[in-house]
Amino acid sequence: MLRRALRLGLGPGLLGRGLGAHREGSTLDWHGKVSEIKKKIQSVLPGGAWSPLCDTSHLPPEHSDVVIVGGGVLGLSVAYWLKRLEKRQGAIRVLVVERDHTYSQASTVLSVGGIRQQFSLPENIQLSLFSVEFLRNINEYLAVVDDPPLDLQFNPSGYLFLASEEGATIMENNVKVQRQEGAKVCLMSPEQLRKKFPWMNTEGVALASYGLENEGWFDPWCLLQGLRRKVQSMGVLFCHGEVTRFVSSSNHMETAIGEKVTLKRIHEVHVKVDHSQEYQPVECAIVVNAAGAWSGRIAELAGIGKGPSGTLQGTKLPVEPRKRYVYLWHCPQGPGLEAPLVADPSGAYFRREGLGNNYLGGCSPAEVSSVGSGCRGEDRDRVSLSSQASLAGPVLVLMSRSPLALTWGLLPPSTTYQADRLKRPARPGSDVCPGQRKPCPHLCPQEEEPDPGNLEVDHDFFQEKVWPHLAQRVPAFETLKVRRAWAGYYDYNTFDQNGVVGPHPLVVNMYFATGFSGHGLQQAPAVGRAVAEMMLEGHFQTINLSPFLFSRFYLGEKAQEHCII
Amino acid sequence: MAAPGASLRLVAPVWNRGTSGIRGLSRSVDPEGSQRKGRTLLQFLADHFYDVEAVREYLLQKQVLKVLRKNRFQDKEWMRPNGRGLSGELWKLREVPIEAVDASGCAITYQGLDNLLALKELQSLSLQCCPHVDDWCLSRLYQLANSLRELSLAGCPRISERGLACLHHLQNLRRLDISHLPAVSNPGLTQILVEEMLPNCEVLGADWAQGLKLGPEEQSRDTASSPIPA
């Protein structure tokens, strides 16, 4: 208490902001303090080093109610909705900290820009539905006086998911849920597919789901700039810097049943200026972690995950950067204007880009699944696991690191996993997701994941992993020429590939808006609103995102997407 | 839009070569009327003189304007069902399935289309010069795929080639007018791609060579070309 008072008293406030010296304030060293004061007085007097007028415009403000770490589409969306939902205009001071103003590595602008409602979780469908309504009326939401209207370049061409035999039942169930939530999706048989899209080879496809309305792709850069422009006009402060430290205080408390809990509260965010050692401690009330692929690092800075594993303190934020490649190619005889974004059961996807017979596409790397979720692997593995799924009741699933062992009967079930399964009732279909584009890696070693250290493109990946599947699905793609390629990060949630939203149970003033593993852009407007509601009201008002809270990592409750990208 | 019988049904219009897109409105042609008086003389003259065609058009247009006015009035009723009272005539005819709607120039929006999409027997729809019809609205038109034969989008300032791409659902479409769309980046190329997308449909719009610089030897070929009917 005294320490903090000393720190504040002798801090930048007294002697001007230009000094920026970091105060330790840890020991009550009167002699040292007195000599410091003497030195300062000497520098203030004429002839000294101190000058009263210092330019600190490059530094963020000293106080801010909310600090949003990360200026991508999610961070800006949270800022927008905070300012929109605040009770009185100008009530909340928001600071957005973004370390790269060119957004050269940000997932938002490197994204393919698709939006779909074809998810299996109702929450995801609702998020997407609201987001598409936001995009449709973007010029009402993000209108700024005297600025031109935004043109998102939306292509309402829809998504087409193809499913093989194994995935057909799950796809049917998903479409039922999607229709219930209000998405306009239809199922197509291979016959109908051939009639509608004659350029497609439907071999191996048992069923397809096609989004008729409100699905397609758009320009994410335009959305980002629109949001930026609007939040700046609403008074949100921007800062070009990097968060290097959180200063927090802890409270040791006891729960009603006598368990000891340590609650942390972040008081200051240290924002370091680019290309300099200078930093500014920003006092804040709430921190929003919207740092995308680097959210894990920010969470570590806040002390999340520092504790014995298996406890709530020891539960890390399971978001890590995953590199994904996108290739742009030209194919003169390729699919025409009617081509939707086609997602093959193998995981490869493509969409049309522009009018010049150019196409964009890619594929998620194959992952070796350890739990017998039948995600990616040999076809026969998937067949054997789908027969498992038809068994009634809780399904005993093999746990093994080897794909061969996934075949039923090769290895005895692991006892520890079995015991765990018996504790919690199985959600129907929750363990088998064959034919999924992004397999559910429960605890898998990512042997084939590219190194996320940089954004270099691996062109061999296209030759070996993407092109064969594309050429098999669309024979016209046998002749194509890759024009460009780039790589971007997924803020990949290794737990269940769905977003993390809401406050941390122990670090009480850190809110998450991250971990969307490839579908963050399309859900950003709705997620921003949900997080803003959580911050302002204390609970979700419009869309209930309780399945996406942080506590699920500790409780082990997966909010898993099935069979979907 | 309710109107007694065939007089307001928009029959396949006669497309004249000399006219530009806007003037080529879908109009109702009364086949018996044109056959009755002076058809032979006018027809003969029309075959040889472009001016006579213009005169014929003008006469037809006068006939049509009366129709269109009534059309639009009915449309307004659709858009504001609660605001105005329904006329007695409309009430009597509410069971009649509507075949054609002309919403040219109407401020119909994405939400307003709800009214039109409920007309499951609609065969002809004209959304010419509607200022608020954009790509999002076009993505809703798939609901009329079973019945829609004719669609006109000429002159809508917000429609681009991205919206036109989702017209592929309308497989029964026989006539599509996509001329004078300022937001389409490449009118000629778009026309070709839309024609490929809808093989059974006559697509009217930009000439495929629009925007291309022609060499002198290709000039004469261009004037003779015209949209190829299916």
Side-chain angles (χ1 to χ4, degrees), chain A residues 439-459:
Chain A
C440 33
H442 293 239
L443 308 152
C444 3
Q446 309 309 326
E447 290 163 8
E448 301 189 34
E449 280 285 348
D451 168 33
N454 56 37
L455 284 181
E456 298 291 322
V457 179
D458 178 10
H459 293 278

PDB file of all heavy atoms in Angstrom, chain A residues 439-459:
ATOM      1  N   PRO A 439      -9.295 -31.561 -38.701  1.00  0.00           N
ATOM      2  CA  PRO A 439      -9.582 -32.650 -37.769  1.00  0.00           C
ATOM      3  C   PRO A 439      -9.455 -32.184 -36.334  1.00  0.00           C
ATOM      4  O   PRO A 439      -8.807 -31.205 -36.060  1.00  0.00           O
ATOM      5  CB  PRO A 439      -8.509 -33.676 -38.076  1.00  0.00           C
ATOM      6  CG  PRO A 439      -7.569 -33.022 -38.976  1.00  0.00           C
ATOM      7  CD  PRO A 439      -8.123 -31.757 -39.482  1.00  0.00           C
ATOM      8  N   CYS A 440     -10.123 -32.888 -35.437  1.00  0.00           N
ATOM      9  CA  CYS A 440     -10.089 -32.476 -34.048  1.00  0.00           C
ATOM     10  C   CYS A 440      -8.903 -33.114 -33.383  1.00  0.00           C
ATOM     11  O   CYS A 440      -8.944 -34.273 -33.007  1.00  0.00           O
ATOM     12  CB  CYS A 440     -11.367 -32.855 -33.333  1.00  0.00           C
ATOM     13  SG  CYS A 440     -12.092 -34.369 -33.931  1.00  0.00           S
ATOM     14  N   PRO A 441      -7.841 -32.439 -33.249  1.00  0.00           N
ATOM     15  CA  PRO A 441      -6.644 -33.011 -32.638  1.00  0.00           C
ATOM     16  C   PRO A 441      -6.757 -32.864 -31.135  1.00  0.00           C
ATOM     17  O   PRO A 441      -6.543 -31.810 -30.594  1.00  0.00           O
ATOM     18  CB  PRO A 441      -5.532 -32.115 -33.173  1.00  0.00           C
ATOM     19  CG  PRO A 441      -6.188 -30.823 -33.476  1.00  0.00           C
ATOM     20  CD  PRO A 441      -7.681 -31.042 -33.567  1.00  0.00           C
ATOM     21  N   HIS A 442      -7.109 -33.915 -30.505  1.00  0.00           N
ATOM     22  CA  HIS A 442      -7.298 -33.796 -29.073  1.00  0.00           C
ATOM     23  C   HIS A 442      -5.963 -33.554 -28.393  1.00  0.00           C
ATOM     24  O   HIS A 442      -5.758 -32.591 -27.702  1.00  0.00           O
ATOM     25  CB  HIS A 442      -7.954 -35.071 -28.527  1.00  0.00           C
ATOM     26  CG  HIS A 442      -9.353 -35.205 -29.030  1.00  0.00           C
ATOM     27  ND1 HIS A 442     -10.437 -35.266 -28.201  1.00  0.00           N
ATOM     28  CD2 HIS A 442      -9.858 -35.255 -30.269  1.00  0.00           C
ATOM     29  CE1 HIS A 442     -11.528 -35.355 -28.919  1.00  0.00           C
ATOM     30  NE2 HIS A 442     -11.209 -35.353 -30.177  1.00  0.00           N
ATOM     31  N   LEU A 443      -5.063 -34.482 -28.638  1.00  0.00           N
ATOM     32  CA  LEU A 443      -3.735 -34.248 -28.055  1.00  0.00           C
ATOM     33  C   LEU A 443      -2.696 -34.620 -29.084  1.00  0.00           C
ATOM     34  O   LEU A 443      -1.795 -35.366 -28.790  1.00  0.00           O
ATOM     35  CB  LEU A 443      -3.534 -35.128 -26.815  1.00  0.00           C
ATOM     36  CG  LEU A 443      -4.606 -35.082 -25.746  1.00  0.00           C
ATOM     37  CD1 LEU A 443      -4.649 -36.406 -25.004  1.00  0.00           C
ATOM     38  CD2 LEU A 443      -4.316 -33.970 -24.761  1.00  0.00           C
ATOM     39  N   CYS A 444      -2.854 -34.196 -30.303  1.00  0.00           N
ATOM     40  CA  CYS A 444      -1.979 -34.795 -31.293  1.00  0.00           C
ATOM     41  C   CYS A 444      -0.664 -34.104 -31.479  1.00  0.00           C
ATOM     42  O   CYS A 444      -0.565 -32.905 -31.410  1.00  0.00           O
ATOM     43  CB  CYS A 444      -2.593 -34.857 -32.655  1.00  0.00           C
ATOM     44  SG  CYS A 444      -4.105 -34.172 -32.834  1.00  0.00           S
ATOM     45  N   PRO A 445       0.305 -34.883 -31.800  1.00  0.00           N
ATOM     46  CA  PRO A 445       1.583 -34.297 -32.205  1.00  0.00           C
ATOM     47  C   PRO A 445       1.418 -33.769 -33.620  1.00  0.00           C
ATOM     48  O   PRO A 445       1.015 -34.479 -34.508  1.00  0.00           O
ATOM     49  CB  PRO A 445       2.536 -35.486 -32.182  1.00  0.00           C
ATOM     50  CG  PRO A 445       1.696 -36.681 -32.362  1.00  0.00           C
ATOM     51  CD  PRO A 445       0.325 -36.338 -31.871  1.00  0.00           C
ATOM     52  N   GLN A 446       1.692 -32.515 -33.804  1.00  0.00           N
ATOM     53  CA  GLN A 446       1.481 -31.939 -35.127  1.00  0.00           C
ATOM     54  C   GLN A 446       2.715 -32.178 -35.957  1.00  0.00           C
ATOM     55  O   GLN A 446       3.570 -31.315 -36.084  1.00  0.00           O
ATOM     56  CB  GLN A 446       1.192 -30.440 -35.007  1.00  0.00           C
ATOM     57  CG  GLN A 446       0.106 -30.107 -34.024  1.00  0.00           C
ATOM     58  CD  GLN A 446      -1.140 -30.909 -34.258  1.00  0.00           C
ATOM     59  OE1 GLN A 446      -1.487 -31.224 -35.383  1.00  0.00           O
ATOM     60  NE2 GLN A 446      -1.814 -31.295 -33.197  1.00  0.00           N
ATOM     61  N   GLU A 447       2.834 -33.381 -36.501  1.00  0.00           N
ATOM     62  CA  GLU A 447       4.070 -33.679 -37.217  1.00  0.00           C
ATOM     63  C   GLU A 447       4.155 -32.918 -38.508  1.00  0.00           C
ATOM     64  O   GLU A 447       5.216 -32.602 -38.989  1.00  0.00           O
ATOM     65  CB  GLU A 447       4.141 -35.172 -37.503  1.00  0.00           C
ATOM     66  CG  GLU A 447       4.358 -35.963 -36.239  1.00  0.00           C
ATOM     67  CD  GLU A 447       4.028 -37.431 -36.438  1.00  0.00           C
ATOM     68  OE1 GLU A 447       3.789 -37.822 -37.583  1.00  0.00           O
ATOM     69  OE2 GLU A 447       3.999 -38.141 -35.450  1.00  0.00           O
ATOM     70  N   GLU A 448       3.013 -32.644 -39.114  1.00  0.00           N
ATOM     71  CA  GLU A 448       3.066 -32.036 -40.424  1.00  0.00           C
ATOM     72  C   GLU A 448       2.749 -30.556 -40.388  1.00  0.00           C
ATOM     73  O   GLU A 448       2.596 -29.945 -41.415  1.00  0.00           O
ATOM     74  CB  GLU A 448       2.093 -32.752 -41.354  1.00  0.00           C
ATOM     75  CG  GLU A 448       2.429 -34.218 -41.454  1.00  0.00           C
ATOM     76  CD  GLU A 448       1.608 -34.896 -42.528  1.00  0.00           C
ATOM     77  OE1 GLU A 448       1.310 -34.258 -43.533  1.00  0.00           O
ATOM     78  OE2 GLU A 448       1.256 -36.049 -42.326  1.00  0.00           O
ATOM     79  N   GLU A 449       2.651 -29.980 -39.258  1.00  0.00           N
ATOM     80  CA  GLU A 449       2.353 -28.562 -39.171  1.00  0.00           C
ATOM     81  C   GLU A 449       3.576 -27.755 -39.580  1.00  0.00           C
ATOM     82  O   GLU A 449       4.684 -28.031 -39.144  1.00  0.00           O
ATOM     83  CB  GLU A 449       1.977 -28.175 -37.731  1.00  0.00           C
ATOM     84  CG  GLU A 449       0.559 -28.505 -37.359  1.00  0.00           C
ATOM     85  CD  GLU A 449      -0.422 -27.537 -37.986  1.00  0.00           C
ATOM     86  OE1 GLU A 449       0.010 -26.504 -38.515  1.00  0.00           O
ATOM     87  OE2 GLU A 449      -1.620 -27.825 -37.945  1.00  0.00           O
ATOM     88  N   PRO A 450       3.384 -26.756 -40.418  1.00  0.00           N
ATOM     89  CA  PRO A 450       4.540 -25.932 -40.785  1.00  0.00           C
ATOM     90  C   PRO A 450       5.002 -25.098 -39.602  1.00  0.00           C
ATOM     91  O   PRO A 450       4.238 -24.782 -38.709  1.00  0.00           O
ATOM     92  CB  PRO A 450       4.006 -25.049 -41.914  1.00  0.00           C
ATOM     93  CG  PRO A 450       2.541 -25.108 -41.796  1.00  0.00           C
ATOM     94  CD  PRO A 450       2.169 -26.362 -41.120  1.00  0.00           C
ATOM     95  N   ASP A 451       6.247 -24.739 -39.657  1.00  0.00           N
ATOM     96  CA  ASP A 451       6.855 -23.975 -38.582  1.00  0.00           C
ATOM     97  C   ASP A 451       6.266 -22.571 -38.560  1.00  0.00           C
ATOM     98  O   ASP A 451       6.346 -21.835 -39.528  1.00  0.00           O
ATOM     99  CB  ASP A 451       8.367 -23.915 -38.833  1.00  0.00           C
ATOM    100  CG  ASP A 451       9.049 -22.901 -37.941  1.00  0.00           C
ATOM    101  OD1 ASP A 451       8.578 -22.731 -36.789  1.00  0.00           O
ATOM    102  OD2 ASP A 451      10.040 -22.304 -38.373  1.00  0.00           O
ATOM    103  N   PRO A 452       5.634 -22.172 -37.454  1.00  0.00           N
ATOM    104  CA  PRO A 452       4.998 -20.856 -37.429  1.00  0.00           C
ATOM    105  C   PRO A 452       5.949 -19.710 -37.140  1.00  0.00           C
ATOM    106  O   PRO A 452       5.514 -18.615 -36.850  1.00  0.00           O
ATOM    107  CB  PRO A 452       3.970 -20.999 -36.299  1.00  0.00           C
ATOM    108  CG  PRO A 452       4.553 -22.013 -35.397  1.00  0.00           C
ATOM    109  CD  PRO A 452       5.384 -22.926 -36.211  1.00  0.00           C
ATOM    110  N   GLY A 453       7.247 -19.971 -37.232  1.00  0.00           N
ATOM    111  CA  GLY A 453       8.186 -18.899 -36.914  1.00  0.00           C
ATOM    112  C   GLY A 453       8.178 -17.764 -37.919  1.00  0.00           C
ATOM    113  O   GLY A 453       8.489 -16.634 -37.594  1.00  0.00           O
ATOM    114  N   ASN A 454       7.825 -18.083 -39.156  1.00  0.00           N
ATOM    115  CA  ASN A 454       7.808 -17.029 -40.169  1.00  0.00           C
ATOM    116  C   ASN A 454       6.650 -17.285 -41.100  1.00  0.00           C
ATOM    117  O   ASN A 454       5.933 -18.280 -40.977  1.00  0.00           O
ATOM    118  CB  ASN A 454       9.130 -17.039 -40.958  1.00  0.00           C
ATOM    119  CG  ASN A 454       9.377 -18.399 -41.580  1.00  0.00           C
ATOM    120  OD1 ASN A 454       8.463 -19.079 -42.027  1.00  0.00           O
ATOM    121  ND2 ASN A 454      10.623 -18.834 -41.592  1.00  0.00           N
ATOM    122  N   LEU A 455       6.479 -16.393 -42.051  1.00  0.00           N
ATOM    123  CA  LEU A 455       5.375 -16.545 -42.991  1.00  0.00           C
ATOM    124  C   LEU A 455       5.889 -16.883 -44.382  1.00  0.00           C
ATOM    125  O   LEU A 455       5.385 -16.397 -45.384  1.00  0.00           O
ATOM    126  CB  LEU A 455       4.535 -15.245 -43.030  1.00  0.00           C
ATOM    127  CG  LEU A 455       3.616 -15.057 -41.828  1.00  0.00           C
ATOM    128  CD1 LEU A 455       2.826 -13.765 -41.979  1.00  0.00           C
ATOM    129  CD2 LEU A 455       2.642 -16.194 -41.674  1.00  0.00           C
ATOM    130  N   GLU A 456       6.903 -17.734 -44.435  1.00  0.00           N
ATOM    131  CA  GLU A 456       7.401 -18.179 -45.740  1.00  0.00           C
ATOM    132  C   GLU A 456       6.471 -19.234 -46.297  1.00  0.00           C
ATOM    133  O   GLU A 456       5.962 -20.073 -45.565  1.00  0.00           O
ATOM    134  CB  GLU A 456       8.786 -18.821 -45.567  1.00  0.00           C
ATOM    135  CG  GLU A 456       9.845 -17.884 -45.031  1.00  0.00           C
ATOM    136  CD  GLU A 456      10.193 -16.817 -46.057  1.00  0.00           C
ATOM    137  OE1 GLU A 456      10.243 -17.155 -47.264  1.00  0.00           O
ATOM    138  OE2 GLU A 456      10.383 -15.669 -45.665  1.00  0.00           O
ATOM    139  N   VAL A 457       6.306 -19.196 -47.613  1.00  0.00           N
ATOM    140  CA  VAL A 457       5.384 -20.132 -48.243  1.00  0.00           C
ATOM    141  C   VAL A 457       6.132 -21.372 -48.717  1.00  0.00           C
ATOM    142  O   VAL A 457       7.211 -21.275 -49.273  1.00  0.00           O
ATOM    143  CB  VAL A 457       4.705 -19.468 -49.455  1.00  0.00           C
ATOM    144  CG1 VAL A 457       3.774 -20.436 -50.129  1.00  0.00           C
ATOM    145  CG2 VAL A 457       3.962 -18.243 -49.015  1.00  0.00           C
ATOM    146  N   ASP A 458       5.523 -22.511 -48.491  1.00  0.00           N
ATOM    147  CA  ASP A 458       6.102 -23.764 -48.958  1.00  0.00           C
ATOM    148  C   ASP A 458       5.360 -24.177 -50.229  1.00  0.00           C
ATOM    149  O   ASP A 458       4.212 -24.617 -50.174  1.00  0.00           O
ATOM    150  CB  ASP A 458       5.935 -24.816 -47.852  1.00  0.00           C
ATOM    151  CG  ASP A 458       6.474 -26.157 -48.269  1.00  0.00           C
ATOM    152  OD1 ASP A 458       7.139 -26.233 -49.317  1.00  0.00           O
ATOM    153  OD2 ASP A 458       6.216 -27.127 -47.543  1.00  0.00           O
ATOM    154  N   HIS A 459       5.995 -24.046 -51.361  1.00  0.00           N
ATOM    155  CA  HIS A 459       5.298 -24.345 -52.609  1.00  0.00           C
ATOM    156  C   HIS A 459       5.144 -25.840 -52.837  1.00  0.00           C
ATOM    157  O   HIS A 459       4.254 -26.276 -53.548  1.00  0.00           O
ATOM    158  CB  HIS A 459       6.027 -23.685 -53.782  1.00  0.00           C
ATOM    159  CG  HIS A 459       5.960 -22.198 -53.717  1.00  0.00           C
ATOM    160  ND1 HIS A 459       4.870 -21.487 -54.169  1.00  0.00           N
ATOM    161  CD2 HIS A 459       6.814 -21.284 -53.199  1.00  0.00           C
ATOM    162  CE1 HIS A 459       5.072 -20.198 -53.953  1.00  0.00           C
ATOM    163  NE2 HIS A 459       6.240 -20.046 -53.366  1.00  0.00           N
TER     164      HIS A 459
END
